[in-house]
């Protein structure tokens, strides 16, 4: 169900660039605007996305993605400006690019670190999805139009994988402009 290694690495790094540009573009009112993520502002979403990548690059995988860790990521960055978070993310992006270049096919197709489910490649695609969706959360909060970019495909694949893991299906997701995604071997559209 995953994209190719090249598509995933390029897509994820490009998504980080778009996210950083979005963060830099926010004015102070937008920065403090409540998002559709319960209890979080646009600044909190930016802190979470940035904090996740910082944690990964520092080898901090325990509890990654849990409410406690995401809250820590936000609290550690509370009070930082848009530029400060975008700068941290740009630095992390450079580290991520170097790390992604170091993975060979065996590592890419092997298990993700620290007991994270799936392959390393699937984990990178999940980071792409998370970055894309939180950028859309910010855009929705401040009234900007959604961006129907390349991050839609990993988002649909992620949702399909979650549905399949929960035993939903069989079914096939067919969305305009995307390849069909089968859940549980495919079935009703």
């Amino acid at each position: 169900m995953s994209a190719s290694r090249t598509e995933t690495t390029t897509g994820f790094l490009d998504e980080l660039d778009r996210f950083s540009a979005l963060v830099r573009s926010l004015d102070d009112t937008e920065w403090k605007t409540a998002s559709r993520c319960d209890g979080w502002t646009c600044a909190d979403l930016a802190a979470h996305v940035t904090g996740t990548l910082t944690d990964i690059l520092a080898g901090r995988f325990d509890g990654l993605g849990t409410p406690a860790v995401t809250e820590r990521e936000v609290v550690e960055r509370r009070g930082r400006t848009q530029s400060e978070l975008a700068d941290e993310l740009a630095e992390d992006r450079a580290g991520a690019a170097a790390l992604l270049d170091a993975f060979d096919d065996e590592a890419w197709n092997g298990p993700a670190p620290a007991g994270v489910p799936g392959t390393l490649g699937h984990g990178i695609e999940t980071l792409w999805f998370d970055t894309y969706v939180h950028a859309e959360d910010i855009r929705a909060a401040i009234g900007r139009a959604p961006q129907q970019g390349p991050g839609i495909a990993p988002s649909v694949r992620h949702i399909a994988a979650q549905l399949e893991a929960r035993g939903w299906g069989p079914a096939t997701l067919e969305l305009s402009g995307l390849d069909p995604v089968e859940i549980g071997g495919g079935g009703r559209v």
Side-chain angles (χ1 to χ4, degrees):
M1 234 190 257
S2 292
S4 73
R5 178 177 166 187
T6 300
E7 179 186 351
T8 300
T9 56
T10 301
F12 174 53
L13 294 173
D14 289 350
E15 199 67 52
L16 290 174
D17 291 340
R18 285 188 290 276
F19 192 86
S20 181
L22 173 63
V23 168
R24 286 186 196 284
S25 77
L26 300 176
D27 65 30
D28 290 339
T29 300
E30 292 169 331
W31 190 238
K32 297 172 187 169
T33 300
S35 75
R36 59 188 174 191
C37 297
D38 192 33
W40 279 14
T41 63
C42 293
D44 294 335
L45 291 169
H48 160 58
V49 169
T50 304
T52 297
L53 191 53
T54 298
D55 281 346
I56 290 167
L57 292 171
R60 292 186 298 262
F61 297 102
D62 288 343
L64 202 61
T66 64
V69 171
T70 56
E71 183 64 21
R72 176 190 49 78
E73 292 163 351
V74 170
V75 169
E76 287 175 353
R77 289 161 182 80
R78 193 151 284 142
R80 293 190 190 171
T81 67
Q82 301 88 313
S83 291
E84 288 170 332
L85 278 182
D87 289 347
E88 181 182 354
L89 189 58
E91 185 177 316
D92 287 348
R93 189 240 187 250
L99 188 59
L100 290 169
D101 282 345
F103 295 133
D104 61 15
D105 288 339
E106 184 177 344
W108 185 260
N109 295 311
V116 174
T119 65
L120 175 64
H122 177 75
I124 302 302
E125 188 175 67
T126 299
L127 291 171
W128 182 9
F129 145 78
D130 193 57
T131 305
Y132 173 79
V133 167
H134 286 316
E136 288 304 303
D137 292 333
I138 291 171
R139 288 185 187 97
I142 62 174
R144 291 192 193 171
Q147 300 294 306
Q148 296 186 358
I152 291 174
S155 298
V156 171
R157 287 190 295 269
H158 180 78
I159 291 165
Q162 294 300 308
L163 289 170
E164 188 164 355
R166 290 180 171 95
W168 189 83
T172 301
L173 301 178
E174 288 188 11
L175 290 93
S176 298
L178 297 177
D179 292 335
V181 178
E182 293 184 350
I183 300 171
R188 66 178 165 41
V189 176

